[in-house]
DNA sequence: ACCTGAACACCGTTCAAGT
DNA sequence: ACCTGAACACCGTTCAAGT
């Protein structure tokens, strides 16, 4: 600690503390806080404390909280997409892209929800996903004037599923720490629906209730992707 | 005003002021505030002022802001779904349901975004949409063990599209007040992407840029629904 | 029972003051 | 140039006090 202070009071030219602030370090720390505590955990005061600085310092690197969340979300998406092998059959590449995003949103549940926010701001998250999916559509035989609609449909589905099921993943994780499991959480949800929803008005949902606790998110997610892929090859 | 005060100071038994608080009146006022000013406009202080009461009074009718937003969102969805004719062919009924929700999210842009939040809380919005769509799947020939996945896929797509394009609708509306139009707003968005995104890394998105300013959200939305319907009839 | 509004414990953001 | 942290203008929510 003394040495740290000494370093600051007699710094050589262009020398930088190893823990100097940077947009990257701020983003990485923000992601860690979000992963541990969810959306509500990320405040400038907590972030500054973790970075051992003042809250105002962060504003030298990001314009505001919206930008911070955008950067964090886009970093998570970019990392996920970078793992996808591109030398595959187009339908397999789209599946692999979808899986990579699913896994990213499961590991960072806040990101699935923040993506919808990010899309409202500058749309870079959408651009990333759209590019990864859309670049395969030529090889799938989709005519160029239909590619915008198809890429938009796939990305809307992925975004919608991610933001919807982030709740399951996150609550499942939190509850797991307290000795419960995902099945028990979903059982509680189904029980709540059973009590709140009139079976005469919601017959379809009531038929589903038994399947909710044990259903597999990942399997359900890919079923939707395959539904869309089937529609693409049928229509185009 | 004097008469109003007099009424309060000498109320007869069980008599109620015509403007007495109720969950319905609070919800309706909240929806109006959200429609005019968007998510950030709704605060308990502003809502209380509009209702000519204290902020604390609202807590007699809703538990907290989350519940208020859930109730408002579910009211918008319920209203939209109530307009859909049920005596149609199943694919037409699904299309009509999708259109009704699209129109609702265009009229209440905050609701498309809040729906993803609502789904994370108690899922009643999802249940409503799932019921409206899922009840048509028998007639479409979808086997019962596939209906959960299909209903989930459709509702994820609708939710994702709504939350994504709420931005367009809302910003389009705000900008329209200032003398701009939607095309100009989307042109600006496309220009920003052109500058920010490397064409070597984002070739597909760059091909799309010309089409963004004039594309029709509603047409794009229904194209995705038809893609999924085609996939459903092909796979089932 | 229902309502009021000040008080509490927070936020994001700004900015004068430090090094 | 970069950092600090008090100050500002808000929030959601609570609760003693009123009617």
């Amino acid at each position: 600690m003394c040495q740290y202070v000494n370093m600051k009071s007699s710094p050589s030219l262009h020398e930088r503390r190893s823990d100097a602030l940077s947009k990257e370090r701020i983003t990485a720390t923000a992601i860690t806080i979000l992963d541990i505590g969810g959306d509500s955990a990320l405040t400038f005061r907590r972030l500054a404390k973790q970075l051992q600085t003042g809250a105002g310092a962060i504003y030298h690197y990001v314009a505001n909280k919206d930008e911070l969340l955008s950067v964090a979300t886009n970093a998570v998406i970019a990392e996920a997409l970078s793992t996808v092998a591109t030398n595959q059959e187009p339908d397999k590449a789209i599946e692999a892209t979808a899986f990579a995003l699913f896994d990213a949103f499961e590991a960072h549940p806040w990101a699935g929800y923040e993506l919808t926010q990010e899309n409202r701001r500058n749309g870079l998250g959408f651009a990333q996903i759209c590019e990864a999916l859309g670049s395969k559509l030529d090889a799938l035989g989709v005519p160029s004037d239909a590619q915008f609609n198809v890429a938009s449909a796939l990305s809307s589905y992925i975004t919608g599923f991610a933001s919807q099921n982030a709740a399951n993943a996150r609550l499942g994780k939190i509850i797991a720490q307290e000795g419960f499991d995902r099945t028990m959480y979903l059982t509680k949800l189904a029980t709540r629906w059973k009590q709140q929803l009139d079976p005469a008005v919601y017959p379809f949902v009531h038929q589903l209730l038994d399947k909710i606790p044990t259903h597999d998110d990942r399997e359900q997610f890919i079923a939707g992707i395959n539904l869309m892929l089937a529609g693409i090859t049928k229509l185009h």
Side-chain angles (χ1 to χ4, degrees), chain A:
Chain A
M1 184 60 178
C2 268
Q3 193 172 359
Y4 168 80
V5 172
N6 286 341
M7 280 173 69
K8 274 196 79 183
S9 56
S10 60
S12 64
L13 201 62
H14 297 304
E15 192 179 272
R16 290 195 149 242
R17 287 153 47 205
S18 62
D19 64 344
L21 280 181
S22 69
K23 196 162 181 174
E24 287 69 29
R25 210 163 76 86
I26 290 168
T27 307
T29 307
I31 289 173
T32 304
I33 292 172
L34 287 162
D35 285 349
I36 294 170
D39 316 274
S40 62
L42 184 66
T43 67
F44 275 75
R45 282 171 180 80
R46 192 183 300 207
L47 183 55
K49 196 177 178 184
Q50 197 102 323
L51 292 164
Q52 299 188 76
T53 184
I58 297 165
Y59 287 88
H60 284 267
Y61 300 91
V62 293
N64 49 42
K65 194 175 183 182
D66 276 355
E67 198 204 322
L68 178 59
L69 285 166
S70 284
V71 171
T73 305
N74 283 321
V76 164
I77 293 170
E79 213 270 317
L81 294 177
S82 71
T83 66
V84 180
T86 50
N87 55 342
Q88 303 182 66
E89 289 300 300
D91 55 339
K92 289 294 162 196
I94 288 175
E95 254 197 27
T97 301
F99 271 133
L101 290 169
F102 182 91
D103 292 341
F105 293 136
E106 200 170 44
H108 312 282
W110 52 273
Y113 153 67
E114 281 304 332
L115 174 59
T116 69
Q117 300 284 82
E118 208 286 324
N119 284 338
R120 300 172 60 159
R121 291 194 284 263
N122 52 35
L124 252 48
F126 172 75
Q128 284 193 84
I129 294 172
C130 201
E131 183 68 37
L133 299 166
S135 59
K136 310 298 172 193
L137 298 182
D138 262 339
L140 259 187
V142 180
S144 62
D145 64 356
Q147 291 185 4
F148 188 12
N149 282 355
V150 170
S152 161
L154 283 166
S155 91
S156 284
Y157 168 71
I158 291 171
T159 303
F161 196 96
S163 68
Q164 195 148 315
N165 288 71
N168 296 354
R170 187 160 128 63
L171 288 174
K173 212 193 264 183
I174 289 168
I175 289 167
Q177 293 171 348
E178 294 167 8
F180 293 83
D181 61 9
R182 204 189 100 97
T183 306
M184 195 173 226
Y185 160 67
L186 288 173
T187 303
K188 275 189 164 183
L189 182 78
T191 305
R192 197 146 30 93
W193 282 4
K194 198 175 223 163
Q195 292 165 349
Q196 289 180 335
L197 301 174
D198 181 351
V201 183
Y202 292 88
F204 180 75
V205 172
H206 271 263
Q207 275 184 346
L208 249 48
L209 291 177
D210 290 342
K211 297 176 184 170
I212 288 174
T214 54
H215 90 282
D216 182 334
D217 271 357
R218 199 180 159 93
E219 182 267 328
Q220 187 165 77
F221 175 66
I222 208 64
I225 294 285
N226 286 328
L227 201 65
M228 301 185 89
L229 285 171
I232 291 167
T233 55
K234 190 185 177 191
L235 291 186
H236 302 296

